[in-house]
Structure formats: structure tokens, C-alpha cells
Amino acid sequence: MFRRTLMAGAVALAGLIGPVAQGQAQAQDRTEIQFWHGLSQPLGGLLERLVAGFNDSQTQYRIVPTFRGSYPETMVAAIAAFRAGQAPHLVQMFEVGTGTMINAGRAIIPTHELLSQTGVNINFDDFLPGVRGYYAAADGRQMAMPFNSSTAIVYYNKDAFRRANLNADQFPTTWEGVGQALQALKASGHACPMSTAWPTWLHLEQFSAIHNIPLATQGNGFGGANAELRVNNPLVLRHLTNLVNWQKEGLFRWGGRDNAGEALFPNGECAIMLTSSGFRARVQREARFDWGVAMLPTYEGTQPANAIIGGASLWVMNRGPNTQRSAAELRGIAEFFAYTARPEVAGKWHMDTGYLPITRSGFESARATGFYNQPANIGADVPIEQMLRGASSENTRGIRLGGFVEIRVIMQEEMERALQGQQTPEQALTNMTTRGNAVLRNFERANRGG
Amino acid sequence: MRKKVIFKGIALPWLLLLPQLLITGVFFFWPAGQAIYGSFLREDAFGLSRQFVGLENFTEVLADPNYLASGWTTVIFSTSVAFLALAAALYLAVQADKAIRGANAYKTMLIWPYAVAPAIAAVLWLFMFHPQIGLFGRMLNGLGVPWDYKLNGDQALLLVILAAAWKQVSYNFIFFMAGLQSIPKSVLEAAAIDGARPMRRFWTIIFPLLAPTSFFLLVVNIVYAFFDTFGTIHALTGGGPGQATTTLIYKVYVDGVQNLNFGSSAAQSVILMVIVILLTAVQFRFIERKVHY
């Protein structure tokens, strides 16, 4: 509470400085559009290059990108700025914040409204369904503009596989097979056979999607704010029990929350790493061994469905509770959205950053350059294939839960307690459900007024 | 026999008080009032709808087992930090106060950590005790101690206590040094002539004469452990694993800033405010009596 007031004060101070910057912009007669993003270097620089490309392509609008810290920090900053009547036009919001933004009422301008008001046309049929759907309303209308999307895959150390007499060219497709591989890796003297980053995204969210089981009711929350968690099911229990047992036997190592575990792969310490497809560039730069990528494994007897995405999308915000955007500002934002969807722009963004190509035409444009045939890029299309494999259902569209930032932390905490041996996997899943549902009910109540 | 200075008008005293009153008003009473007001409300993140819920935020927070657990964590954390920081600083101050060569160099070195920002201090500790990349972390694991504060709650709590206490030692050290220097040398020399050994001189002369300083520092250290250790915890453990290092102040941050749950966060701030007011009142009422100025 103290912090919030301080933040409001800081924003108010920034407001005093703001008009000066605006005055300069008017001198050059361009409509200025503030764009807050959460990408640190080198990705932030690539984003700024993309924005510069748009600014150079026309003379009416200027997008001003500003780095606002990590994704959660950017989200909090944008919300505080809105409350102080100083929100940016555009904010890059990570996928976990989607549920909060969709329910934000007049704080946001949905993308479909923006496009119909400005008459700018973007062909959303060209977007990958798994990407587009994550940011669409239940009726299919686009709420946010997809921008940088990633998915989760497996990275594995081929040299370690060979030392353990495993087939280095074929990563096991089932978790049963992975379990055997872990034993073999340990027997061959590898101290850390497997670790993971983004523990809940990988082992609960992606896991549920590719096994085609619900993480929450109401189609993972797409159907309404009255969703309830469904993580307490036999398959998730089986997986969490495996992880706990593997950790006890020294087959699996907890690398920490969020992406803290990633560091254990490129230095050769852990032979298998489950993490974001965006990790590729770092492995390429740092790993001093032969490595490969593979799709996420599933349990025997299940039909793998498509994976879901992470990453972020672009949201249009109103300036404050009582102020609207001008027609020129809206037009500029819509033009920028259309620019990012151009095949050559989307393709270049994908190839430069390692994020998924979010449009089919962008994928084709990348393929046309021979990108996937270059030796350095072998396997770069695995994440895309994983997005497109299997049947898609309401379990594989994505996750749309209010207060999901909090729920993810709760899930991590309960996983940690289970791995510490403080509680059984059953208790962990029960606690996740109880605590997570309390958050969902609070969110539902706070947003009823709209 | 007190000398009173009397101002002629009313304007000048008010004018002189004004800056302080303004600062207290803007930076203390306004936010504190906002917190109390907010603790009776429930609103969405964007502030578009709000609802008066009476004491519901309080009853909900106090019924939450995780909140009560973090209260317990705070008790362990604060007493350990205050005790460690005070004991270490007192020991170091007594040692540095002796006539040794290069005493000034030692003093400077000991005051140094106070200038280090909490987050940076935490990163220093992280680099020492990280189980995979930290010097001591690797050493411990090499010696067969299963050190992994990312998964072991007790180890995580130990680490944040050490880091937070280390940060505060310098501050205490300065005050203890000043306190030691104000103890008359003649008293100590007289005791030495009477045959009191150093240990006895410390416990019967130095320690009682330092009591006012120690008492002041005790209050300051408790308040520090309650409120100022946020940066250290945030950078080292983020409140985890589980909620093993989530103290009350850290929970206020998590619920307010991260989870955008303003009502609950405000209610927790108010509870925290009441706790610290009570704690300080108790300290002044009961401990101060035993302190001789």
C-alpha cells in the first residue's frame, strides 16, 4: 500500500516531465505512441530495431519503445500508470497476465475493436491457431495482438547420451522411456541427468495441454471467470510423484523457480533440460558439446495433443479511467500491428530471436530463405511442429485464469514443498487446488462490477 | 532547572516546523491513511470497481494459515537477525577499540558494508552460497553437506538471516564504537588496578554502560528486520522455497505489488503497523526501565 502510493507519486512526477517530451514530438508533427516492453537485451534491442523499421516506413506516427523491467514489472507499472491516468498506448504483456487484461474493462481497447474503428485489416486466419487462440475471446474475437510467442521443448546432451549407450538421435517420446534414460545416464556417471526451468509452465500447464486434460474447468477459464482448478487428477499426480521419486534417487534436480534452472544445461551439468524454445540461442552460444532438441514426452497410452505457448502479446490501453485515445493514436497503433504481421517482418523477427513464427506466411518466408536447412538451425522447426501436432481441443487453447501470476507462484511453492519431502504429491495437488481456487474466487468477485 | 526559549510570535515556530510536518504528512500520514482506508475495500487491479467490505480483509488474512506461518517466520527471522547483528557488532567494536596497529583500517573495513545496497549484498551472498556456482556452496557440497537453499527451507532461512544480519553489523558497529569511546578510561583503569580481568571488566563495566546504546540499537534492529530486509529476501530467495522465507513485509509486497490484491495487502500493512507500534511501546515501557542513562 505504501509502495502503491509511492508509485503513484513517481508516476505523477513522470507526468510533469511528459509534456516536455510531447512538445518536442509535435514540433516534428508525428503522432507519438508510447510502447512499454519487458524484453531485456539482446531481445530488447531486436524489438527496438523492429520498431525503428516501422517508424522509417511511414511519416505520420512514431512508436517510442521503453524498457520497463521484467514482464511482471512491466505489468505492474502499466496498471499503476493507468490508475494515475498515465498509461502507455501499448504494453507488452506476458501470457500469464492475459486473464487479468481481458477482464480489465475500459482500461483496454480490444484489438478487434481497434481494427474495426480504424478500418485497418489484419488477416488473423494466417496466424497459428495456438497463438491466435491464446489471445482471443471465447467467441473468437481478437483481444490482443500476438507478438512474441515461444513454446516448451526438450534440450538434451547428445554426448552424454552416447556415453550412456543411448540412441543420441532419438530422444524418448514417452516419460517411461525418459525414466529409463535417466537411470542409464546416472549409471554412466552423469551427476545430474535431468533438470527443468519454468516448473509449473512445463510440468502442469504444458503437461496438461499435450495430454489433452484440463488444467481448469470452463475450458481452462476461456468460458468464464467461474473456472476452478483441475490439477488434482491421476495423470498429473503420477507425473509429480515421478518427479519427487526421481529427485530422491538423484535422477532429477530442482533448478529453482522461473528460468533459474536453465544455467545447468549449457555448462554440461545436467544432461536433459526442459525449457522454452527461446533458450536455443543461448545453448548455441555457450554449449561446448553435441546437443539436440526434441518434443515434450507424454505418458504411454495417451495421444499427444498440441503444446501451448508462452511469451507475450501487445495490448492497447486507455490513458486512464476517464480519458480516451484520439483517432490518430488508434490509427497509428493499428498500422503498427499490421506492420508486425507482414510476412517478411514476422519471419525476420522469428529468425533473429528464436521466437515462434506466429503467422504461416512468416513461417513460409523464413523457410524460403533456407533458414531451416542451415546446419546451425537444424531442429529449429521442432517447436513449430509441436504447436501443430495432434488434435486441438479446449484443453490445448491456452490458459485464461484471473490472478494467474499468483496461482503460478502458489503452484511452485507447493511443488517445492513436495520435493522437500514436507508433503506428499497428493497433498501438494490438493493444496494447489484449494489455494488457487481461493485466488480465482477473489478475482471473480473483484471483477464482477467491471 | 530548565532554560526555556520563548518565541515572540507564532509564525516563526510554525515556519520552522513546517518542513518536518510536511514531510511527515506526505510521506507518513498520507500513505498510512491510504493504507487504512484501502484495508476496508476490495477492488480490481485497475481500480475500476471498488466495494466496501468492512473488516473482511482482516478476518480473511488472519484466518489464512500461510499468513500465520509467515508471522512465525518473521519472529524467528527478526530475533535471529537482531541478535546476530548486535552480538557480532559488539564483539567487533570491543576488539577494534583496543589499542591495536591499524585500528582505523579495521574500522573503515567494518563500516564498509553499510554502504552496500541490500540487493547487491544479497547478490554477494548468492555468489558465495549458490549450490552450483557459489564458492562456499560448492565447497559444502564437496564436503558431503547437501547444501541447496533453493529447495531446503531451513537452509534458505539461515542464508537470509546471515545476509540480513551482515548488512546491519556495520550500523551497529558505529554506534557501539561511539558508545565505547564515551566510557571513561579512568573507570576501566581503576578496575584493572583492582585486579579485574578483561572479561569481568567487560561484563561489569562496559556492558552496563553501553546499555542505552544497546537499547536504542535493539529497537532499530527489530524495525530493520521487520521492514528493511525486503530487498535481501527478494534478491536471494524470493520468499521461497515453499514460503520458508516469506516474512510479513515480504508478503505485503507479494500480495500488493505482484498479485495486485490491494485490499489484502493494505490490511496486512495495517496489521504490521500495529505490531511495530506495540513492539516499540513494550520495549520502551519494560526494557527502558532497566536502562540507566
Side-chain angles (χ1 to χ4, degrees), chain A residues 100-349:
Chain A
T100 300
M101 292 304 277
I102 273 188
N103 287 292
R106 63 176 192 276
I108 56 147
I109 305 167
T111 298
H112 68 86
E113 239 175 81
L114 172 87
L115 296 178
S116 67
Q117 272 181 35
T118 55
V120 173
N121 188 35
I122 295 174
N123 179 16
F124 281 108
D125 292 336
D126 185 32
F127 282 68
L128 300 190
V131 174
R132 185 187 68 201
Y134 205 107
Y135 304 111
D139 58 10
R141 288 182 305 174
Q142 206 62 31
M143 298 299 285
M145 182 69 189
F147 183 60
N148 56 320
S149 296
S150 50
T151 188
I153 52 170
V154 176
Y155 297 81
Y156 66 105
N157 184 332
K158 287 187 172 177
D159 289 344
F161 266 56
R162 288 191 194 103
R163 275 195 298 275
N165 289 324
L166 294 162
N167 182 358
D169 297 319
Q170 176 58 51
F171 189 81
T173 55
T174 64
W175 276 109
E176 286 83 357
V178 172
Q180 285 161 9
L182 295 180
Q183 300 280 7
L185 283 162
K186 186 172 167 129
S188 76
H190 214 92
C192 168
M194 177 172 84
S195 185
T196 186
W198 309 108
T200 61
W201 185 49
L202 258 301
H203 298 278
L204 293 168
E205 298 165 34
Q206 294 285 9
F207 182 85
S208 300
I210 58 176
H211 285 89
N212 203 357
I213 50 175
L215 186 86
T217 57
Q218 291 289 347
N220 286 343
F222 277 67
N226 55 344
E228 285 177 16
L229 288 184
R230 283 285 175 271
V231 285
N232 199 354
N233 64 59
L235 206 56
V236 172
L237 177 62
R238 182 168 162 201
H239 188 57
L240 187 56
T241 311
N242 271 340
L243 289 180
V244 170
N245 290 338
W246 287 341
Q247 130 122 352
K248 269 190 217 138
E249 295 161 30
L251 302 174
F252 167 71
R253 186 184 291 167
W254 176 260
R257 293 181 185 179
D258 300 338
N259 68 343
E262 282 181 348
L264 297 170
F265 184 73
N267 67 5
E269 196 156 338
C270 294
I272 301 171
M273 173 62 58
L274 282 71
T275 186
S276 162
S277 53
F279 184 49
R280 185 183 176 89
R282 180 169 172 194
V283 180
Q284 228 156 21
R285 204 170 54 236
E286 295 178 11
R288 296 282 167 272
F289 49 81
D290 190 14
W291 55 278
V293 294
M295 293 192 209
L296 296 174
T298 52
Y299 278 96
E300 267 168 25
T302 53
Q303 193 65 38
N306 68 283
I308 54 176
I309 56 163
S313 62
L314 306 181
W315 287 85
V316 189
M317 289 183 82
N318 268 319
R319 190 177 159 84
N322 303 309
T323 38
Q324 303 289 313
R325 297 292 182 197
S326 73
E329 287 169 321
L330 293 181
R331 177 91 203 172
I333 300 167
E335 297 277 0
F336 176 61
F337 281 2
Y339 178 82
T340 63
R342 286 190 200 170
E344 71 278 11
V345 177
K348 183 167 162 44
W349 174 247

Side-chain angles (χ1 to χ4, degrees), chain B residues 144-156:
Chain B
V145 181
W147 171 264
D148 186 1
Y149 72 86
K150 290 183 167 188
L151 203 53
N152 187 318
D154 297 335
Q155 291 178 357

Side-chain angles (χ1 to χ4, degrees), chain A residues 18-146:
Chain A
V20 181
Q22 272 171 11
Q24 287 166 348
Q26 274 154 9
Q28 289 158 352
D29 227 17
R30 277 182 166 206
T31 307
E32 199 156 289
I33 289 158
Q34 297 296 329
F35 174 20
W36 289 5
H37 71 85
L39 290 180
S40 53
Q41 299 298 344
L43 293 171
L46 294 169
L47 179 141
E48 275 153 28
R49 216 184 293 162
L50 183 149
V51 168
F54 171 74
N55 287 342
D56 294 343
S57 73
Q58 41 76 44
T59 54
Q60 277 173 296
Y61 316 104
R62 183 203 310 283
I63 310 262
V64 184
T66 320
F67 175 61
R68 302 298 300 204
S70 67
Y71 283 145
E73 283 163 2
T74 306
M75 172 171 175
V76 169
I79 291 175
F82 174 80
R83 294 174 73 112
Q86 300 285 345
H89 301 80
L90 269 179
V91 62
Q92 184 193 25
M93 184 69 64
F94 64 154
E95 90 283 6
V96 192
T98 306
T100 300
M101 292 304 277
I102 273 188
N103 287 292
R106 63 176 192 276
I108 56 147
I109 305 167
T111 298
H112 68 86
E113 239 175 81
L114 172 87
L115 296 178
S116 67
Q117 272 181 35
T118 55
V120 173
N121 188 35
I122 295 174
N123 179 16
F124 281 108
D125 292 336
D126 185 32
F127 282 68
L128 300 190
V131 174
R132 185 187 68 201
Y134 205 107
Y135 304 111
D139 58 10
R141 288 182 305 174
Q142 206 62 31
M143 298 299 285
M145 182 69 189

Side-chain angles (χ1 to χ4, degrees), chain B residues 149-290:
Chain B
Y149 72 86
K150 290 183 167 188
L151 203 53
N152 187 318
D154 297 335
Q155 291 178 357
L157 189 57
L158 181 70
L159 187 65
V160 290
I161 287 173
L162 287 177
W166 175 78
K167 185 79 190 59
Q168 189 67 2
V169 166
S170 306
Y171 180 88
N172 298 347
F173 175 79
I174 297 171
F175 278 85
F176 277 132
M177 273 306 284
L180 286 172
Q181 280 165 1
S182 69
I183 294 174
K185 287 276 175 289
S186 55
V187 182
L188 290 170
E189 280 160 12
I193 291 168
D194 286 346
R197 310 249 103 214
M199 275 307 262
R200 192 171 163 84
R201 290 205 298 269
F202 175 79
W203 286 114
T204 54
I205 299 172
I206 297 178
F207 193 68
L209 284 175
L210 273 180
T213 314
S214 310
F215 171 65
F216 162 77
L217 286 178
L218 181 67
V219 177
V220 168
N221 276 264
I222 295 275
V223 172
Y224 161 79
F226 259 83
F227 288 108
D228 283 354
T229 47
F230 161 81
T232 313
I233 297 177
H234 189 54
L236 261 179
T237 61
Q243 290 196 347
T245 53
T246 302
T247 58
L248 292 175
I249 187 72
Y250 195 73
K251 203 163 160 48
V252 170
Y253 164 79
V254 170
D255 282 340
V257 177
Q258 225 160 281
N259 301 339
L260 302 167
N261 205 339
F262 300 128
S264 170
S265 178
Q268 292 176 35
S269 313
V270 173
I271 295 173
L272 208 53
M273 192 151 68
V274 171
I275 294 177
V276 170
I277 289 172
L278 283 180
L279 217 59
T280 314
V282 165
Q283 284 175 328
F284 272 96
R285 204 163 160 70
F286 295 102
I287 305 181
E288 200 189 11
R289 280 185 189 167
K290 296 183 180 152

Side-chain angles (χ1 to χ4, degrees), chain B residues 88-105:
Chain B
L90 181 57
Y91 177 77
L92 291 170
V94 169
Q95 299 306 314
D97 195 39
K98 288 178 182 163
I100 43 170
R101 205 186 310 160
N104 279 327

